[in-house]
Amino acid sequence: MSARIDLKVETRHEELQRIFETVEKLAEEEDWPPALTFKTNLVLEEFGLNIMNYGFDEGIHTFDVSLTSSPDTITIEFVDDGRPFNPLEDASAPELDSAIQDRAIGGLGIHFVMEMTDDFQYRRENSRNHSTMVIRKSD
Amino acid sequence: MNVESRREGTSLVLKADGRVDGTNASEFQDAMKSEINESDRAVVLDLQDLTYISSAGLRVVLLIAKDLQRQGAKMAACSLSDPVREVFVISGFDKIIPIHDSQDSAIGALS
């Protein structure tokens, strides 16, 4: 059994609420442990916000998010026609060891996605970013 | 999300509950800031009832930590759930903000 949910999301921060509600509903239906719900929400928020904040120059754009829950894994796919962004190559690693006063504000979002997912794949196809990430349910 | 505060001895205890995400991080920042006085020298962030925090929320925690350091105050966090603790660890925040298992232990360490 697997469940798949497809969302069209606008580049407005309020859209996060709708994403969270979708996850909570699925989590409830499938009785996910709280840690899995947390992780899934975190990956969706951080990657979604990255597209909203940095993917486009201006204006409201729409991108696709799909969430597939299989017995052992959750697969999240983002498809957007924003500027090319391959997190595996283009994201700079945050400074994690600095003292409080030197610690940069921000730069953690993509780091969280990479830490919280068990697989990440990227391809650019037909002027779109396809970013696919997998979270294992048993962890 | 809600932030409650109380004073225990010389420590200010801020207890945050609910979710802190990209939609309400600025409210979280305002709520925390409004509870902290310039004369505070020890602040404990009790996160027992915090169910979710993303990088937007951690950014606020870092801003508060920077403010407190500037005013010569110490800060500690306590009672993190496992996923919240994981987020603190993967962001390296556990190295700049001491994490305690209980509020008593955090207050004790700061006084």
Side-chain angles (χ1 to χ4, degrees):
Chain A
M1 267 267 302
S2 70
R4 179 178 165 126
I5 296 165
D6 292 281
L7 296 173
K8 285 209 175 298
V9 178
E10 291 189 346
T11 51
R12 298 182 296 117
H13 289 189
E14 305 84 74
E15 287 278 78
L16 288 176
Q17 205 52 49
R18 194 160 60 92
I19 295 175
F20 294 145
E21 283 163 15
T22 304
V23 172
E24 297 292 340
K25 187 164 172 285
L26 184 62
E28 202 168 302
E29 283 168 8
E30 298 192 348
D31 200 19
W32 293 0
L36 180 64
T37 311
F38 189 113
K39 215 183 236 196
T40 304
N41 274 326
L42 192 66
V43 169
L44 284 163
E45 170 174 348
E46 303 295 357
F47 206 85
L49 275 182
N50 200 71
I51 294 174
M52 291 179 193
N53 292 340
Y54 307 114
F56 301 91
D57 285 332
E58 55 188 22
I60 301 290
H61 299 260
T62 303
F63 57 95
D64 295 312
V65 183
S66 77
L67 184 65
T68 306
S69 177
S70 303
D72 298 329
T73 56
I74 292 165
T75 304
I76 295 167
E77 187 179 25
F78 285 85
V79 179
D80 69 87
D81 61 356
R83 61 173 59 89
F85 175 67
N86 178 355
L88 298 168
E89 291 173 1
D90 304 338
S92 52
E95 288 280 333
L96 298 181
D97 295 320
S98 320
I100 291 182
Q101 67 272 19
D102 303 325
R103 203 42 215 262
I105 305 280
L108 283 174
I110 294 299
H111 174 65
F112 280 8
V113 171
M114 294 305 171
E115 288 288 324
M116 290 292 182
T117 52
D118 297 292
D119 185 41
F120 189 101
Q121 305 219 358
Y122 171 83
R123 67 179 200 277
R124 180 86 180 171
E125 200 175 282
N126 299 327
S127 305
R128 287 170 194 270
N129 298 307
H130 294 252
S131 310
T132 308
M133 42 216 96
V134 177
I135 299 170
R136 269 201 301 273
K137 286 184 173 175
S138 60
D139 200 341
Chain B
M1 177 276 302
N2 193 33
V3 177
E4 279 180 19
S5 78
R6 66 185 180 85
R7 286 176 196 276
E8 173 126 357
T10 54
S11 290
L12 170 68
V13 179
L14 296 173
K15 199 165 193 306
D17 66 19
R19 305 170 52 91
V20 179
D21 55 41
T23 67
N24 67 359
S26 62
E27 290 162 46
F28 178 56
Q29 184 172 353
D30 293 345
M32 299 257 283
K33 279 196 157 180
S34 69
E35 301 296 340
I36 298 171
N37 296 331
E38 276 178 30
S39 56
D40 281 316
R41 289 294 172 267
V43 175
V44 172
L45 192 54
D46 185 332
L47 300 180
Q48 181 173 0
D49 297 323
L50 189 77
T51 54
Y52 178 82
I53 188 165
S54 63
S55 68
L58 282 185
R59 175 179 178 278
V60 172
V61 172
L62 181 60
L63 285 169
I64 299 286
K66 282 177 186 269
D67 283 353
L68 288 172
Q69 191 176 60
R70 268 192 293 271
Q71 71 183 52
K74 288 189 274 187
M75 183 185 192
C78 71
S79 313
L80 282 61
S81 68
D82 287 345
V84 171
R85 181 184 283 266
E86 189 177 0
V87 164
F88 268 69
V89 170
I90 63 176
S91 54
F93 274 37
D94 58 325
K95 295 185 195 125
I96 54 179
I97 302 167
I99 297 177
H100 296 265
D101 288 338
S102 71
Q103 204 186 91
D104 284 350
S105 141
I107 292 170
L110 294 188
S111 36

